[in-house]
Amino acid sequence: MEARTRLNNPSSGASQFPHDGRNAVREFVTPWLGWGRWEESLRGSLSSLEPTTDPQDMTEIANAAESLVGQFDDHLDLDAEDLEDEMEGLIADYSLPVSEAKTIMRNKLLDEAGIDRTDDAPPVPDSSEFSPVDIETIQSEGDWVDIRANVVQLWTPNSSKIKQVGLLGDESDVIKFTIFAGTDVPELEKGHTYHLSNVVTDEYQGRYSVKIREESDVTIAEDDEIEYAADEESIEGVLYAVKSGSGLIKRCPEDDCSRVVSGGTCADHGNVEGEPDLRIKAVVDNGFEAHDVVFNEQATTEFTGMTLDDALEIASDALDYSAVERQIKSEVVGQFVHVSGPILGRYLVVNDAEQVSGITDEMVSRLQSEQADTQSPDQSGTSAEASA
Amino acid sequence: MSDADQNYPKRNEAKRLFAEEFSTSTLTFQKQDEIDDSSSENVAEYHLLPSGSGANRALMAGTLTEVTQIKESPALYRARVVDETGTFYLSAGQYNPDAREVLRTIEAPQHIIVGGKLDSWDTDDGEWRMSLQPEFVTAVDKETRNRVTAEACLHTLDRLRDLEANPAQDGADPRSIYSDFDYDEFEDDVRSIVQTLLDDSPASNPPADPAPV
């Protein structure tokens, strides 16, 4: 019982066995409705002392049985009514909500079919058809989903255990993806659209991502044009500040962890030998808005000319990692920049950064239209009115 | 969890200001919603600008003409900066180490741009003076200085138009508070700076069809 509870705790990383993403939320919510109804029916039928199963639960049990039969179609010869009976038995004997009974049944069937019930278990798709979900609907971890997406951005992996990392976008949102080293998954190319079947959702600090795994199907879809969500922004202004945590940092080398190592310690993995990485966390201010932006290693090198090796040399000459941050700060603060990239949380992740020098042509024409306003007093309203 | 992510404290933008307006902005206020939201004592202070909005930060440009060390330990430097409309002062002490280091070594005269927090203090004779507590000071070329000056022109004229359209911003009409401030003269000053910038600008030929904004 305890083991089952742990397996089904949605926040536990251990429970990433195959799951149908589209039903996960409903399954998580309905048990409690079931409980309430059940309590009522318990009170209503005290004489029998035997809980009567709610008709709605009956339907759910039947649905669950159907779906299990379908899922194990290739592996086992099953009869839906047998499964229903068995689940009803579980529910009566162990006071379980329907979803728990279904999970137990599924685990039992996985064992019977000889499928390893671990994180590495192959997904059990409802059907082999490609049925993509909108990226913005990905709101839970450990689900197997299909998505169709454009490769918005690729980053340099900061760990040798990661083969590729970047951002995928569809019309609804963007999401980070990871492909781990040692998998056969082909690397994705920026700007192309892909149909990705059976990718696994993940969560870190409230932000969702997908892992493309050995079991995933990656198909390039040239004809499927995606205008990915216009979450890409640009801002032009003064680089007002370089925040602490910039320059040379160390990241945890553990699988699927890229946390910044502080004092030789990763918050998740304890003492680790961090892998060096280079970044700039900065503020770009245009006078109306101050925007947090982050330059990753590649963007930092493109913007400052400083490579990771340069940074390591600066740090070792100074016997001080923070010397890199100081040098970057003294070089970039007060420069005017035009940066663009997708928005992730509070940060604009810099894809392109350009130094802007002096007054742009666009500003010249705005200055000219200010003067035009004064020279013709009858147009003394706002420039918006003047242009209407 | 993801909801909490959305509630970053919003960082105050740096208003583009000229010395003439900056020096007048002595009235301070705090925003009620920020007082209500804040769990700490640390509620941002805004200076009411003659042109209306509240400024916590400013980005300014000018020629640094003099730096004086006015205190030994901890070291405190004051710098005088002259822009197209007047003079303003920076003071950088132990809480502005980066800017203080720049002021310690900089040679006047020098074009600079400076970003910082607005600060006011009262003199012995009971008058309020403004100074900027720099978060950064950067020595720049004329081009970059002009860029900041141009932004100051455009943003200031925008603010003056907003004031015209919507006088009682943040509950007080700055025109009655800063009754000595000559709004017409200030706007004329800004417009003549615009003209100077356009005359200096390489792309100063008026376009055949003035581009609306």
Side-chain angles (χ1 to χ4, degrees):
Chain A
M1 186 66 194
E2 258 182 45
R4 281 172 201 136
T5 314
R6 200 172 61 242
L7 268 175
N8 286 287
N9 177 350
S11 65
S12 148
S15 66
Q16 294 176 344
F17 47 79
H19 223 293
D20 176 0
R22 280 143 287 190
N23 289 329
V25 173
R26 191 173 56 77
E27 283 183 4
F28 185 55
V29 173
T30 44
W32 308 113
L33 297 174
W35 277 114
R37 281 198 304 273
W38 199 23
E39 219 172 61
E40 266 169 41
S41 66
L42 254 177
R43 261 187 253 117
S45 58
L46 268 177
S47 54
S48 72
L49 285 177
E50 187 77 9
T52 51
T53 315
D54 186 295
Q56 201 170 332
D57 281 355
M58 289 299 294
T59 322
E60 276 187 45
I61 294 167
N63 288 345
E66 277 306 321
S67 127
L68 286 173
V69 171
Q71 286 174 27
F72 287 91
D73 206 20
D74 294 345
H75 305 280
L76 298 168
D77 190 17
L78 296 171
D79 180 62
E81 278 184 28
D82 291 348
L83 295 184
E84 262 179 69
D85 288 348
E86 205 166 333
M87 278 192 278
E88 273 174 49
L90 281 168
I91 289 167
D93 292 348
Y94 296 99
S95 308
L96 295 175
V98 177
S99 65
E100 294 283 344
K102 184 182 175 187
T103 305
I104 293 166
M105 272 315 296
R106 176 155 48 194
N107 287 344
K108 189 176 158 228
L109 294 171
L110 282 168
D111 285 346
E112 270 175 35
I115 301 169
D116 195 3
R117 193 206 309 168
T118 65
D119 194 28
D120 286 328
V124 187
D126 274 346
S127 72
S128 53
E129 243 171 71
F130 177 68
S131 47
V133 299
D134 284 347
I135 286 175
E136 70 175 356
T137 64
I138 295 176
Q139 298 286 343
S140 54
E141 66 174 318
D143 293 335
W144 296 80
V145 296
D146 299 349
I147 54 177
R148 50 183 281 279
N150 195 287
V151 181
V152 179
Q153 193 173 39
L154 293 172
W155 298 312
T156 319
N158 48 37
S159 160
S160 55
K161 301 203 170 144
I162 295 174
K163 181 171 172 179
Q164 195 177 33
V165 59
L167 272 189
L168 296 171
D170 68 7
E171 287 84 352
S172 67
D173 205 353
V174 292
I175 194 165
K176 182 183 153 184
F177 78 91
T178 310
I179 303 173
F180 287 96
T183 54
D184 263 348
V185 179
E187 289 197 16
L188 307 187
E189 280 178 52
K190 192 173 164 181
H192 287 287
T193 296
Y194 292 89
H195 286 176
L196 304 157
S197 307
N198 296 321
V199 299
V200 188
T201 66
D202 196 9
E203 184 261 6
Y204 176 65
Q205 291 190 349
R207 200 116 46 237
Y208 295 96
S209 64
V210 293
K211 297 185 272 195
I212 306 175
R213 305 171 52 120
E214 201 77 50
E215 301 85 2
S216 311
D217 269 338
V218 177
T219 320
I220 196 156
E222 293 295 1
D223 300 337
D224 191 358
E225 276 185 27
I226 293 182
E227 287 289 318
Y228 59 81
D231 243 2
E232 175 130 343
E233 270 185 29
S234 66
I235 179 170
E236 183 172 311
V238 69
L239 202 153
Y240 192 97
V242 167
K243 297 177 132 184
S244 64
S246 297
L248 202 51
I249 55 165
K250 282 188 167 179
R251 290 188 188 276
C252 178
E254 290 294 318
D255 267 353
D256 201 19
C257 179
S258 54
R259 283 175 167 236
V260 172
V261 175
S262 145
T265 310
C266 166
D268 273 352
H269 300 98
N271 281 344
V272 290
E273 186 61 44
E275 293 179 358
D277 190 16
L278 189 61
R279 72 170 176 194
I280 307 174
K281 288 163 76 179
V283 176
V284 176
D285 184 312
N286 64 8
F288 301 104
E289 181 193 25
H291 214 307
D292 285 313
V293 307
V294 60
F295 296 73
N296 66 10
E297 185 199 333
Q298 195 184 340
T300 301
T301 301
E302 280 169 16
F303 186 60
T304 63
M306 183 190 289
T307 63
L308 183 58
D309 284 343
D310 296 339
L312 286 164
E313 200 177 312
I314 292 164
S316 91
D317 284 353
L319 298 174
D320 183 2
Y321 258 46
S322 65
V324 177
E325 180 180 307
R326 283 198 303 277
Q327 175 161 340
I328 289 174
K329 201 185 216 178
S330 70
E331 283 175 11
V332 303
V333 170
Q335 284 187 9
F336 276 80
V337 291
H338 183 102
V339 295
S340 56
I343 303 291
L344 262 195
R346 69 187 298 179
Y347 287 101
L348 182 155
V349 181
V350 176
N351 245 346
D352 288 304
E354 263 179 76
Q355 278 184 48
V356 189
S357 72
I359 302 174
T360 58
D361 292 348
E362 188 262 334
M363 289 178 76
V364 168
S365 64
R366 283 171 61 200
L367 291 167
Q368 280 164 344
S369 73
E370 286 291 354
Q371 294 309 77
D373 278 357
T374 39
Q375 277 152 24
S376 40
D378 40 311
Q379 286 185 9
S380 62
T382 65
S383 47
E385 278 168 7
S387 69
Chain B
M1 198 163 174
S2 55
D3 280 347
D5 284 350
Q6 308 304 317
N7 295 330
Y8 319 117
K10 199 180 163 304
R11 189 187 162 94
N12 278 304
E13 73 285 359
K15 301 279 185 193
R16 275 43 169 173
L17 300 182
F18 285 114
E20 190 176 349
E21 184 173 20
F22 171 76
S23 309
T24 308
S25 311
T26 49
L27 183 95
T28 62
F29 65 96
Q30 293 179 328
K31 294 186 179 172
Q32 189 60 49
D33 56 336
E34 293 182 2
I35 296 172
D36 294 344
D37 285 353
S38 178
S39 50
S40 74
E41 303 281 296
N42 211 355
V43 179
E45 185 180 74
Y46 297 88
H47 285 254
L48 181 69
L49 304 176
S51 61
S53 44
N56 172 262
R57 281 201 166 85
L59 179 72
M60 300 175 73
T63 307
L64 182 132
T65 55
E66 191 182 30
V67 182
T68 325
Q69 182 170 2
I70 57 172
K71 217 172 128 204
E72 276 291 341
S73 180
L76 178 65
Y77 287 85
R78 176 175 303 163
R80 196 169 69 239
V81 184
V82 179
D83 78 2
E84 287 74 2
T85 66
T87 304
F88 64 97
Y89 291 90
L90 319 177
S91 75
Q94 57 183 318
Y95 302 113
N96 326 88
D98 296 334
R100 183 173 68 176
E101 187 53 25
V102 172
L103 292 185
R104 197 177 64 78
T105 50
I106 202 166
E107 298 258 348
Q110 170 69 52
H111 296 301
I112 59 148
I113 64 172
V114 53
K117 297 263 193 172
L118 286 82
D119 189 25
S120 52
W121 41 280
D122 59 341
T123 59
D124 295 339
D125 49 13
E127 271 198 54
W128 286 90
R129 297 280 167 76
M130 292 296 298
S131 75
L132 196 61
Q133 288 198 357
E135 291 169 302
F136 75 88
V137 179
T138 305
V140 295
D141 54 16
K142 187 81 200 290
E143 245 195 325
T144 305
R145 172 186 171 163
N146 282 350
R147 159 84 186 212
V148 175
T149 306
E151 289 188 355
C153 289
L154 293 168
H155 295 198
T156 301
L157 292 170
D158 273 348
R159 287 197 302 270
L160 290 170
R161 266 192 294 269
D162 284 352
L163 179 66
E164 201 72 41
N166 178 24
Q169 292 191 22
D170 292 315
D173 188 339
R175 284 173 298 193
S176 56
I177 290 164
Y178 301 122
S179 50
D180 291 343
F181 189 78
D182 190 331
Y183 281 82
D184 291 338
E185 191 185 291
F186 180 53
E187 183 169 344
D188 287 349
D189 288 350
V190 176
R191 292 203 183 274
S192 73
I193 300 164
V194 170
Q195 196 52 56
T196 313
L197 289 170
L198 285 173
D199 293 344
D200 285 357
S201 160
S204 62
N205 298 330
D209 177 17
V213 182

